[in-house]
Amino acid sequence: MTLLVALHRHDRTIVILILLAAIAASWAYLLFGVDAAMPEMDDMDMAMPMSPPGWTGGQAALTFAMWVAMMAAMMLPSAAPMLLFYDVIARKRNAGSAAIGPTSLFGLGYLAVWAGFSALAVALQYGLDRANLLSPMLQTTSVALTAALLVAAGVYQWTPLKQSCLRHCRSPLDFVLQHWRGGRRGAFAMGITHGLYCLGCCWMLMLLLFVGGVMSFAWIAAIALFVLVEKLAPAGHWIGKAAGVALIGWGGYVLTSLFMGA
């Protein structure tokens, strides 16, 4: 019995280390990997590099990799409680056998959803770039678009869809009770399902990257911290609603400045 407990703790430690390694690797890529792949900007105040002009297949692949790394870095920390809770349940369901494989598949399913979102984000970035609506830091240059994104994100924070998805993200127990599926395929499917809930919760927040700058490391970290607080803090859902009011106010201020400057 003591041996089984020791093995369980050993396997759980491996799961935690894998999760931490994935998060660390994602943030490291944002800090150093993108910097190595793209030329630096002259302005030292800009935390991340400028993307080169023009779109090639190679640049599209690098941009997709950048978005996937961003989504992993921003979303995995808030998904950690769900992954670790699933790992515990999976071990019990499998009579104490190692659940590293199923837990990894759950994580891969979760990341697959955000990889799909990343592909759509690259397409959106391409469209905005072709419309000359992005700065070198990949920040929208349109005041009207900035205001629209802020107000839309703020309103979305109060919608039933947002609140429903947030409840699933905040309650690992409820998610497992409602969506449990056994086996490795079930683990991957559960990861996709949980990823879809998190996507429904956070997709508008991710679009705010175009407001503060996709290449701004500080802005990426700020949104990631907000997502973490919204999902894990005891009053996270109220914090999210308060942020929605603030975003609407911010968007209104930006829109007012547009009309006043006209």
Side-chain angles (χ1 to χ4, degrees):
M1 183 65 179
T2 304
L3 178 60
L4 289 177
V5 171
L7 289 174
H8 172 81
R9 290 177 178 173
H10 175 71
D11 289 338
R12 185 169 177 78
T13 299
I14 293 176
V15 170
I16 293 173
L17 290 175
I18 291 174
L19 181 59
L20 290 175
I23 294 171
S26 299
W27 283 106
Y29 179 78
L30 294 179
L31 276 170
F32 306 113
V34 178
D35 185 63
M38 297 179 181
E40 293 185 356
M41 301 187 71
D42 294 331
D43 189 348
M44 296 302 294
D45 291 332
M46 295 182 178
M48 297 184 70
M50 175 180 66
S51 57
W55 280 79
T56 63
Q59 185 195 347
L62 285 174
T63 303
F64 175 71
M66 178 189 71
W67 274 96
V68 171
M70 276 196 297
M71 295 304 101
M74 298 171 76
M75 299 307 301
L76 279 179
S78 65
M82 180 67 248
L83 284 164
L84 295 176
F85 185 77
Y86 170 83
D87 182 67
V88 171
I89 301 302
R91 292 179 195 282
K92 291 182 178 179
R93 292 270 183 147
N94 291 307
S97 61
I100 295 175
T103 303
S104 297
L105 288 171
F106 185 103
L108 287 174
Y110 181 84
L111 291 176
V113 172
W114 285 104
F117 174 82
S118 297
L120 295 176
V122 172
L124 176 59
Q125 181 179 326
Y126 174 81
L128 292 174
D129 181 56
R130 282 291 172 249
N132 294 318
L133 292 176
L134 290 180
S135 72
M137 289 292 289
L138 304 184
Q139 179 182 25
T140 176
T141 56
S142 167
V143 177
L145 179 57
T146 296
L149 286 172
L150 289 169
V151 172
V155 170
Y156 188 72
Q157 289 293 107
W158 284 82
T159 62
L161 177 59
K162 161 74 182 195
Q163 295 303 312
S164 175
C165 291
L166 181 59
R167 282 194 296 272
H168 282 85
C169 291
R170 285 174 55 84
S171 180
L173 177 59
D174 288 345
F175 176 81
V176 168
L177 290 176
Q178 295 179 35
H179 301 284
W180 178 263
R181 295 180 64 179
R184 295 179 180 273
R185 290 184 179 179
F188 187 74
M190 285 181 68
I192 289 178
T193 302
H194 188 64
L196 289 172
Y197 279 123
C198 285
L199 178 63
C201 176
C202 300
W203 70 278
M204 276 302 306
L205 294 173
M206 297 301 109
L207 292 185
L208 291 182
L209 287 166
F210 288 108
V211 171
V214 176
M215 307 298 279
S216 170
F217 187 82
W219 187 242
I220 294 170
I223 295 178
L225 179 60
F226 174 77
V227 169
L228 190 66
V229 170
E230 186 181 42
K231 288 187 177 182
L232 302 186
H237 61 296
W238 288 113
I239 294 173
K241 288 184 175 181
V245 174
L247 287 170
I248 293 171
W250 186 4
Y253 172 78
V254 172
L255 197 59
T256 301
S257 67
L258 173 62
F259 287 119
M260 292 184 64

